[in-house]
Amino acid sequence: MTVTASEASEAAARAARLLARPVTLNGLTVPNRIAMAPMTRMFSPGGIPGEDVVSYYARRAAAGVGLIVTEGTYVGHPSAGQSDRVPRFHGEEQLAGWAKVAEAVHAAGGTIVPQLWHIGMVRDQGDQPFPDAPAVGPSGLRIGATVPTGREMTQRDVDDVVGAFAEAAEAAERIGFDGVEIHGAHGYLVDQFLWAGTNRRTDAYGGDPVARTRFAAEIVAAVRERVSPAFPVIFRYSQWKQDAYDARLAETPEELDALLAPLAAAGVDVFHASTRRYWRPEFDGSDLNLAGWTRKLTGKPVITVGSVGLDGEFGRAFRGEGAALGSLDNLLDRLENDEFDLVAVGRALLQDPQWAEKVLTGRFGDLAPFEAASLKTLS
């Protein structure tokens, strides 16, 4: 099937109209529905974001991205990371660099939140930036392992990490960010507590799904206490993990509700539901994706994410290749039906900093399909 010029124009206008609407997240008004997904870049030697990082984010804000979620930034705990080139969200020089990023994004008309991150058992002994720090996790287990290779966290460890997230969030508000995102997805520390595959604890932090949310809920509550009431707190989570794409926190909507309810009660304002392909239904018997179920169960605003733009679906649809038009209609139908509130775009924005502007102005013919080999720079 092909589409006529008139049909393409109408579809482009619909996309621009739906995506250009502002949205309110607690006390923050985001100018449109396009978010930039967090993507690790390792371009910050010493954990300090420099002028190139400032330009990287400001360029995308100037080109129409409404909400930027930064790459993952390590909180102030020695075991949080595994690279000295990933930015940190603690330390005088590091925070000064991030303050410049926030200022530039605001000057370009965008909004921005840092993603706060602790990798947990993904860390190897001896990794930078603090090589003497041990790998820690709820049970000292890596994904897929049956024998601990790290240290099971003590109550002191738990309290220290909770405090590190809260301190980072407080710093984010102080230096001018618009909110924070807590990284609770993809098999990193917070997710290691949420998932039974890596959480074998028998104390208050392990056992049934509600108990496994306690660590995450304590982080959310501590963050909420240290920031102002209107400051948005976003929580990113996923079913899938690194090296375990079929892993699931919840097999049914009821199990998902049990996991999300304590987080919402602790103070989450927005959920960021990470899937690998946004169009896939999450549970049998419903077309709702993970973000849609999250919004239905919690009533909170939700960000959806997962391969938007990677196959060139937008561009192909508006060049008359009708096979891709259904994919675009699917995304916009879901957005129009309030299945989710924002659409996060990742790698397509790495390739093309002007991606959001082209979509918002109907310049779909200028969109090129994403090709990993074409990413010669991440500027």
Side-chain angles (χ1 to χ4, degrees):
M1 182 186 76
T2 59
V3 294
T4 66
S6 176
E7 289 171 333
S9 178
E10 290 176 6
R14 179 184 182 228
R17 173 177 56 81
L18 290 174
L19 291 167
R21 297 173 299 161
V23 61
T24 299
L25 310 176
N26 194 346
L28 174 68
T29 298
V30 178
N32 61 55
R33 302 304 177 103
I34 298 177
M36 182 174 181
M39 291 169 285
T40 299
R41 300 176 64 239
M42 302 179 73
F43 279 21
S44 298
I48 303 167
E51 290 302 321
D52 58 331
V53 177
V54 174
S55 297
Y56 167 78
Y57 287 114
R59 185 176 299 114
R60 286 154 178 84
V65 174
L67 174 67
I68 289 173
V69 183
T70 74
E71 61 209 282
T73 67
Y74 298 149
V75 297
H77 184 262
S79 299
Q82 62 182 160
S83 171
D84 198 39
R85 294 183 59 83
V86 169
R88 305 199 287 270
F89 216 85
H90 60 97
E92 184 175 348
E93 288 184 276
Q94 288 81 3
L95 292 176
W98 280 119
K100 293 179 181 178
V101 172
E103 182 180 13
V105 167
H106 291 153
T111 62
I112 185 168
V113 302
Q115 186 187 70
L116 307 180
W117 188 24
H118 192 303
I119 70 171
M121 286 303 305
V122 175
R123 175 182 171 81
D124 288 320
Q125 187 65 43
D127 279 347
Q128 298 293 330
F130 303 107
D132 293 335
V136 298
S139 304
L141 287 169
R142 288 178 176 268
I143 291 174
T146 57
V147 177
T149 58
R151 195 181 79 204
E152 179 176 310
M153 291 173 68
T154 64
Q155 186 64 53
R156 173 67 181 271
D157 294 325
V158 168
D159 294 342
D160 286 347
V161 172
V162 169
F165 274 92
E167 289 169 11
E170 183 178 40
E173 185 171 25
R174 185 176 67 249
I175 65 176
F177 278 78
D178 298 299
V180 293
E181 176 170 285
I182 297 165
H183 195 342
H186 306 162
Y188 295 111
L189 180 64
V190 176
D191 194 22
Q192 289 162 22
F193 273 86
L194 295 175
W195 189 42
T198 44
N199 184 347
R200 308 292 175 80
R201 298 175 75 102
T202 57
D203 62 2
Y205 295 95
D208 63 34
V210 174
R212 294 198 304 272
T213 67
R214 178 169 176 166
F215 177 65
E218 286 185 359
I219 290 174
V220 172
V223 166
R224 185 80 272 163
E225 185 176 351
R226 297 283 281 274
V227 300
S228 62
F231 195 67
V233 176
I234 304 170
F235 188 88
R236 194 180 211 213
Y237 82 101
S238 67
Q239 299 261 40
W240 67 274
K241 324 297 173 199
Q242 287 191 71
D243 302 320
Y245 292 133
D246 295 330
R248 295 177 69 79
L249 297 175
E251 296 291 345
T252 65
E254 292 74 21
E255 290 179 2
L256 184 62
D257 188 35
L259 181 141
L260 297 176
L263 300 175
V268 171
D269 297 301
V270 183
F271 285 96
H272 189 171
S274 178
T275 55
R276 298 178 68 214
R277 298 172 181 86
Y278 76 85
W279 56 86
R280 289 197 168 178
E282 192 57 40
F283 302 113
D284 292 339
S286 170
D287 289 334
L288 290 176
N289 70 3
L290 186 63
W293 273 109
T294 300
R295 196 179 195 279
K296 180 177 181 177
L297 293 169
T298 68
K300 300 286 186 179
V302 177
I303 304 168
T304 197
V305 66
S307 299
V308 175
L310 291 195
D311 61 358
E313 63 187 56
F314 285 85
R316 291 211 315 273
F318 292 93
R319 286 193 292 270
E321 299 174 24
L325 186 59
S327 296
L328 178 62
D329 284 344
N330 182 283
L331 177 74
L332 297 178
D333 287 347
R334 290 168 184 264
L335 184 63
E336 189 169 32
N337 291 333
D338 295 325
E339 184 173 329
F340 40 72
D341 301 272
L342 291 103
V343 176
V345 182
R347 285 164 284 177
L349 269 171
L350 282 182
Q351 176 168 287
D352 185 358
Q354 305 297 316
W355 191 93
E357 182 180 50
K358 291 174 182 178
V359 170
L360 290 169
T361 58
R363 293 162 50 206
F364 293 94
D366 295 339
L367 291 170
F370 175 84
E371 296 178 4
S374 71
L375 295 180
K376 297 178 181 178
T377 67
L378 298 181
S379 62

